[in-house]
Amino acid sequence: MTDHEDVERPRRARMTGAARREQLVAVGRRAFAAKGVDGISVEEVAAAAEVSKPVVYEHFGGKEGLYAVVVDRELRALTEAVTATLTEGGTDRETLERAALALLDYIEASPDGFRILVRDVSGTAPTGTYASLLSDVAGQVSHILTEAFVRRSIEPTHAPMYAQMLVGMMSLTGQWWLETRTPAKEEVAAHVVNLAWNGLAGLEEPPRLRSRPDNESR
């Protein structure tokens, strides 16, 4: 090879700091989804991004810092998608339908992100977690149910408990659908709302355990 040929050899363009950071976030997102935060090392992240370990430390301070950024982005995306549906107005049933579809839309568009959020994590996880998100959503659902319960002459103090039930049901269904992807998300949402809505429509006041007729639910 001549000196002239060596001089004209194309060189890989150097990434800007912002571009490198986004690349590392994308690499980390895939890695954490596949193996979890405890199953991935800084060395593996650096190797996948074709950079040295110090580059990862420079941008995020380590694996935990990168993980915190990834989780924060996913939480914000899912929070905005779901909570927006709870403030759009419409009937109570329409609100349930929109919320169910919002979660399934997110899972369909960001399966890796959802896997990261629902995966068991160690003490290195950031303070904002999927559990805290569900708690926030349940709080908003509770306000909606309180108004609905009052209109139907049902004890409103139990609304927070029912909100936890509804949010938990949708969350677990979403985790199941993440792996099965069948039936279609619209059908899944319809079934969830069918159970939730028709169950709410037929609430007893007060509820009783029929298997224990001598024990009134309080």
Side-chain angles (χ1 to χ4, degrees):
M1 179 179 293
T2 67
D3 291 342
H4 179 71
E5 289 174 328
D6 185 57
V7 169
E8 292 187 350
R9 179 186 300 166
R11 297 182 178 180
R12 187 171 61 182
R14 182 180 179 84
M15 281 190 180
T16 64
R20 178 64 73 190
R21 182 179 176 86
E22 290 305 310
Q23 182 214 20
L24 290 171
V25 169
V27 169
R29 187 174 183 270
R30 291 191 296 270
F32 295 138
K35 297 183 179 181
V37 64
D38 291 330
I40 292 295
S41 66
V42 173
E43 290 84 354
E44 290 175 288
V45 172
E50 298 183 344
V51 298
S52 62
K53 285 173 53 179
V55 173
V56 180
Y57 286 109
E58 176 187 350
H59 284 278
F60 301 100
K63 178 182 69 173
E64 291 74 19
L66 174 59
Y67 179 76
V69 170
V70 171
V71 170
D72 180 67
R73 289 190 179 188
E74 297 303 326
L75 279 172
R76 281 191 283 114
L78 181 53
T79 299
E80 290 171 4
V82 174
T83 57
T85 68
L86 302 177
T87 57
E88 289 182 15
T91 67
D92 295 335
R93 175 163 184 155
E94 288 170 343
T95 299
L96 287 174
E97 290 177 357
R98 289 196 306 266
L101 275 173
L103 176 61
L104 295 174
D105 283 342
Y106 169 79
I107 294 172
E108 182 178 61
S110 305
D112 281 351
F114 191 66
R115 285 190 177 93
I116 292 169
L117 292 182
V118 300
R119 184 187 295 276
D120 289 337
V121 295
S122 67
T124 60
T127 55
T129 63
Y130 183 61
S132 66
L133 167 62
L134 294 182
S135 179
D136 291 342
V137 172
Q140 296 188 54
V141 172
S142 176
H143 290 302
I144 296 172
L145 289 181
T146 296
E147 297 174 1
F149 281 16
V150 169
R151 291 196 301 269
R152 293 171 173 79
S153 299
I154 298 173
E155 176 54 56
T157 58
H158 296 314
M161 178 173 61
Y162 280 90
Q164 293 288 340
M165 296 175 191
L166 288 174
V167 172
M169 178 175 66
M170 190 62 244
S171 174
L172 287 176
T173 302
Q175 293 179 53
W176 166 79
W177 190 73
L178 171 67
E179 305 303 334
T180 64
R181 296 305 183 90
T182 183
K185 62 183 178 182
E186 291 81 6
E187 186 175 350
V188 174
H191 281 288
V192 169
V193 174
N194 183 36
L195 175 60
W197 181 255
N198 288 312
L200 288 171
L203 290 181
E204 297 177 336
E205 180 58 34
R208 300 175 185 275
L209 297 175
R210 297 192 179 187
S211 62
R212 295 186 178 182
D214 59 330
N215 183 9
E216 294 186 359
S217 298
R218 299 183 184 278

